[in-house]
Amino acid sequence: MQILLAILIVPSFVLVGVSGYQNSGDGANTVATIDGQPVTRQEWEAAQRTQLDNFRQRMGEQFDQKLFDTPEFKQNVLESLIAERAVGAEVARSHLTVGDAKLQEILLDGIKDIPGMIKPDGKVDIERYRSLLAAQGMTPEGYQARLRRDMALQQVSGAVQLTGFAPRSVAAKLSDFGAQEREVQELLLPAAQFLPQVKVTDEMVKAYYDKNAKLFEVPEQAKIEYVVFNAAAVADQVSVTDADVAAYYEQNKARYGSAEARRASHILVAVKKDASAADKAAAKAKADAILAEVKKAPADFAKIAKAKSEDPVSAEQGGDLDVLEKGALPKPLEDAAFALKQGEIAGPVETEFGYHIVTVTSLKPAAVKPLDEVKNDIAADLKKQKSAKKYSEMAEAFTNTVYEQADSLKPVADKLKLKIETAEHVARTPSPALGTAPFNHAKFLTALFSDESLKNKRNTEAVEVAPSTLVAGRIVEFKPAAKRPLAEVDAAIRQRVTAEEAVKMAKKEGEAKIAAAKASGGAEGFGGAKLVSRANPNGLNGAALAEVMKADTAKLPAYVGVELPGMGYGVYRIGKVQQPAEQDPAQRKAEAEQISNMVASQELYQYVDALKHKAKVKLLSGAKATKPETAN
């Protein structure tokens, strides 16, 4: 379904903060205005769904929708829309456009690899093109307008980014900083060695239990029923008959055939345009003699052509004219070549260039695949086309029925021949373990746990959880959130508190060792010295490396203490800071390019910010992205 959308040129804009926007309370369905033009809540929500789908495809099984159900994510999507509209307004003011020739070039580049899109004659299959766009709710005119707009936007953003660069001296200093090496000695204080000293009291357990009540909650859960309406449900109710397939085949036979492939060779006896009658007669006689020669030895045609043809291009190839195309040869020669069977020889044929002896060296007749061979493909295409037309009609019926008969899902299931599914232990927020299950969607779950659904046991509205996928549901049973009793979690709390207290002891002793080492300047108790850098940790823990590399080394030796997650506490002595003797030139070049890209991004950031002010962007009260409620 995304096959055409995948070739769209989408500009990448920097997300810009909302500071400096004007705020207004008007427009119940408008969340922002740019140059007086509205951004509606529906457009905002559609953009959020598109972003989520992009992340879902990119991340695969690692996708966790819970990470995106935040006000920050929603606000960033709105910022992207605003940035795009602001640049679009500047494009319009500057009268920037993309020519028809360039548009067609990009369009053809995008669709030429789509199976079945290019017909045997090399032309685009317009009907298939329209069908694929219709399945995505688009028309060719709308798609091309969108493509033209995106290309114009890209011109603006690309031009600004090209102005960004970093001076070589700045890039060199930053590169030196990244390559810096530090000589480090390590003293580890494992938390495990302090465990025997930890004494956990009942009061400490109770305090931890009270302070971290959310950790011990059993989240609210619901048993639900739901129905899914999607393209597959429509396809199940759309049939294609053999008569439909046969009729389509007859009307579109050219799509399933291959044109004739005819290859020819010739021998030319050249005649100048202003040649006399005597010269023409002499040339004709020479051609007759060559014709007689090749007819005696047809197998030697290429050899004779190479020796006697006066065509400077084809003679070296034994007279080969390649596979013939209509209109490529002078008409008398073309007519003669297309009248021959393979191996036959004709001539002399007179053209403006002289006299030709011509033969057909290979011939693959035109052929059409039989109906039986392509009927399954035709049936699939026809079913897809019919389904696209029927989808909107059935989607409206689905939406209306779940709303109008909200006490049960049975009416809509019976009407549209859908199956009522059930699910248990459903919570307010999507569960990564459930992946892409239709009901495991933030917007659907918000509707499911609304007061109307939760308290009154009514159907939810029809919620779009993916392109061309609607879900409606209802709560059958509900269990509110409950806190597990202290006795049940006592052992787990004691284990956690013990570990935390052991880390505190390790840290206290580590800080004492740092104080003693600073006073003496010595390295007693530390391990052997080793060089570390940001690129080469040399076995150093990641958290420790970060602190070591940012430590103040104005006075050496310097000491750093780091709490190591799950391990204990580490003390690090920095005895020397140095630059590597040599640095890879390729790495330096890559880092310089990276720095320039960062500068270019900042240039674009500032440019888009200026355009937003120029376009008098207003954020309306409906643009507030509130964080959804959670059970935990």
Side-chain angles (χ1 to χ4, degrees):
M1 184 168 286
Q2 300 297 322
I3 194 165
L4 286 175
L5 292 182
I7 67 170
L8 287 176
I9 301 174
V10 182
S12 176
F13 292 110
V14 179
L15 299 181
V16 186
V18 298
S19 59
Y21 285 162
Q22 301 177 46
N23 286 280
S24 175
D26 59 331
N29 193 42
T30 299
V31 295
T33 61
I34 301 96
D35 245 12
Q37 300 301 311
V39 175
T40 66
R41 179 166 292 278
Q42 287 86 347
E43 290 173 323
W44 185 17
E45 291 175 350
Q48 291 174 42
R49 289 193 294 273
T50 299
Q51 283 279 45
L52 284 173
D53 288 339
N54 288 339
F55 280 117
R56 185 179 289 110
Q57 291 177 12
R58 195 181 309 160
M59 299 171 68
E61 295 181 357
Q62 296 179 343
F63 177 78
D64 181 358
Q65 186 162 325
K66 193 163 51 176
L67 299 175
F68 302 96
D69 286 333
T70 64
E72 293 79 14
F73 171 75
K74 295 177 182 178
Q75 199 67 36
N76 279 344
V77 172
L78 180 58
E79 292 299 322
S80 289
L81 273 177
I82 290 172
E84 183 177 336
R85 298 288 177 87
V87 177
E90 182 66 13
V91 167
R93 280 192 293 268
S94 303
H95 304 292
L96 294 177
T97 187
V98 174
D100 291 341
K102 186 63 176 178
L103 178 68
Q104 291 301 317
E105 178 187 338
I106 297 297
L107 187 62
L108 286 173
D109 282 346
I111 66 176
K112 66 183 180 181
D113 295 327
I114 301 174
M117 188 64 76
I118 305 299
K119 296 192 290 187
D121 61 4
K123 296 181 180 178
V124 175
D125 188 332
I126 299 299
E127 288 305 313
R128 181 169 174 79
Y129 173 59
R130 290 182 181 277
S131 297
L132 288 173
L133 287 175
Q136 300 171 64
M138 301 177 69
T139 64
E141 295 74 19
Y143 172 66
Q144 291 179 31
R146 177 175 174 179
L147 184 58
R148 193 189 297 273
R149 180 205 66 189
D150 289 340
M151 290 169 67
L153 292 175
Q154 196 174 54
Q155 284 183 19
V156 174
S157 61
V160 174
Q161 285 183 301
L162 286 174
T163 65
F165 70 96
R168 284 194 293 269
S169 60
V170 173
K173 287 181 179 179
L174 289 173
S175 185
D176 287 344
F177 180 72
Q180 185 186 88
E181 297 174 336
R182 297 190 171 191
E183 185 183 84
V184 178
Q185 293 172 270
E186 183 178 48
L187 192 163
L188 289 178
L189 299 168
Q193 72 183 39
F194 296 91
L195 290 176
Q197 304 174 39
V198 177
K199 305 297 180 186
V200 179
T201 66
D202 292 343
E203 289 74 17
M204 292 167 71
V205 172
K206 181 66 166 62
Y208 188 93
Y209 179 75
D210 292 339
K211 183 180 179 181
N212 300 279
K214 286 288 184 182
L215 293 176
F216 308 109
E217 276 192 356
V218 177
E220 60 185 351
Q221 297 179 0
K223 178 180 179 181
I224 70 168
E225 294 179 339
Y226 66 96
V227 287
V228 179
F229 173 73
N230 54 21
V234 176
D236 289 343
Q237 300 179 45
V238 171
S239 60
V240 176
T241 66
D242 290 342
D244 294 335
V245 173
Y248 186 88
Y249 176 76
E250 290 299 324
Q251 294 168 11
N252 298 273
K253 271 190 175 180
R255 283 186 57 185
Y256 307 106
S258 57
E260 177 188 84
R262 177 183 292 261
R263 194 177 190 115
S265 294
H266 84 137
I267 299 170
L268 171 66
V269 177
V271 177
K272 294 180 180 179
K273 288 184 179 180
D274 57 353
S276 65
D279 288 341
K280 286 184 178 181
K284 172 71 164 53
K286 183 178 180 180
D288 286 334
I290 293 173
L291 175 62
E293 183 179 355
V294 295
K295 281 189 173 181
K296 287 181 180 178
D300 293 337
F301 191 99
K303 181 179 178 182
I304 298 170
K306 193 168 185 178
K308 299 185 177 183
S309 179
E310 296 172 5
D311 180 349
V313 176
S314 69
E316 285 299 314
Q317 284 76 44
D320 184 35
L321 294 170
D322 209 336
V323 177
L324 301 183
E325 294 182 6
K326 290 283 188 180
L329 298 176
K331 193 168 188 317
L333 182 59
E334 179 180 283
D335 290 344
F338 276 94
L340 295 175
K341 296 178 181 178
Q342 183 172 343
E344 290 184 339
I345 299 171
V349 177
E350 184 178 4
T351 72
E352 59 186 297
F353 301 103
Y355 295 97
H356 307 258
I357 294 91
V358 60
T359 185
V360 172
T361 55
S362 68
L363 177 60
K364 184 179 179 182
V368 177
K369 293 180 181 178
L371 176 59
D372 285 346
E373 188 175 328
V374 296
K375 67 179 181 180
N376 290 337
D377 291 338
I378 294 176
D381 281 347
L382 289 177
K383 191 166 186 177
K384 191 179 295 183
Q385 293 174 25
K386 287 188 175 184
S387 296
K389 292 178 181 178
K390 193 172 181 62
Y391 178 84
S392 58
E393 173 190 328
M394 292 181 67
E396 184 177 359
F398 180 85
T399 300
N400 292 340
T401 305
V402 296
Y403 175 76
E404 293 167 358
Q405 301 186 53
D407 294 329
S408 172
L409 293 173
K410 191 172 186 303
V412 73
D414 291 344
K415 185 173 185 176
L416 300 181
K417 300 178 183 178
L418 304 174
K419 182 181 179 181
I420 298 177
E421 306 279 0
T422 61
E424 299 188 13
H425 311 300
V426 177
R428 283 181 188 264
T429 55
S431 167
L434 295 173
T436 57
F439 63 86
N440 192 41
H441 186 278
K443 190 174 179 182
F444 172 71
L445 293 174
T446 298
L448 186 68
F449 283 89
S450 67
D451 287 345
E452 184 72 7
S453 174
L454 189 59
K455 295 179 180 178
N456 301 325
K457 298 294 189 291
R458 295 177 68 80
N459 296 342
T460 67
E461 62 182 350
V463 178
E464 187 177 22
V465 298
S468 301
T469 303
L470 301 175
V471 177
R474 60 185 295 102
I475 290 179
V476 179
E477 296 176 8
F478 176 73
K479 295 179 181 179
K483 190 176 180 181
R484 297 172 68 186
L486 177 57
E488 189 177 315
V489 295
D490 180 276
I493 292 176
R494 288 182 184 276
Q495 186 176 8
R496 182 169 295 189
V497 171
T498 299
E500 290 182 356
E501 291 298 314
V503 170
K504 288 178 183 178
M505 289 181 176
K507 182 178 180 180
K508 184 177 180 180
E509 182 165 330
E511 290 172 343
K513 288 185 177 295
I514 289 176
K518 283 183 176 180
S520 68
E524 184 179 351
F526 286 89
K530 57 183 177 181
L531 283 177
V532 300
S533 67
R534 289 174 176 82
N536 180 21
N538 201 6
L540 208 62
N541 178 277
L545 178 67
E547 295 300 322
V548 165
M549 295 308 298
K550 71 180 183 182
D552 182 2
T553 56
K555 181 180 179 181
L556 295 175
Y559 297 89
V560 177
V562 184
E563 188 173 322
L564 304 176
M567 297 172 61
Y569 197 76
V571 179
Y572 300 88
R573 182 180 188 271
I574 305 169
K576 185 191 300 183
V577 177
Q578 64 184 40
Q579 290 299 128
E582 293 183 7
Q583 195 167 343
D584 184 1
Q587 182 178 343
R588 282 219 179 233
K589 182 180 178 182
E591 289 171 347
E593 290 176 356
Q594 186 178 10
I595 293 164
S596 291
N597 289 338
M598 292 168 64
V599 173
S601 294
Q602 182 64 24
E603 292 279 354
L604 182 60
Y605 177 104
Q606 293 171 349
Y607 177 68
V608 172
D609 198 31
L611 289 184
K612 287 160 72 175
H613 285 281
K614 185 176 181 180
K616 298 178 181 178
V617 172
K618 289 183 180 180
L619 280 181
L620 307 185
S621 57
K624 295 177 181 178
T626 56
K627 189 172 182 177
E629 296 180 10
T630 61
N632 297 311

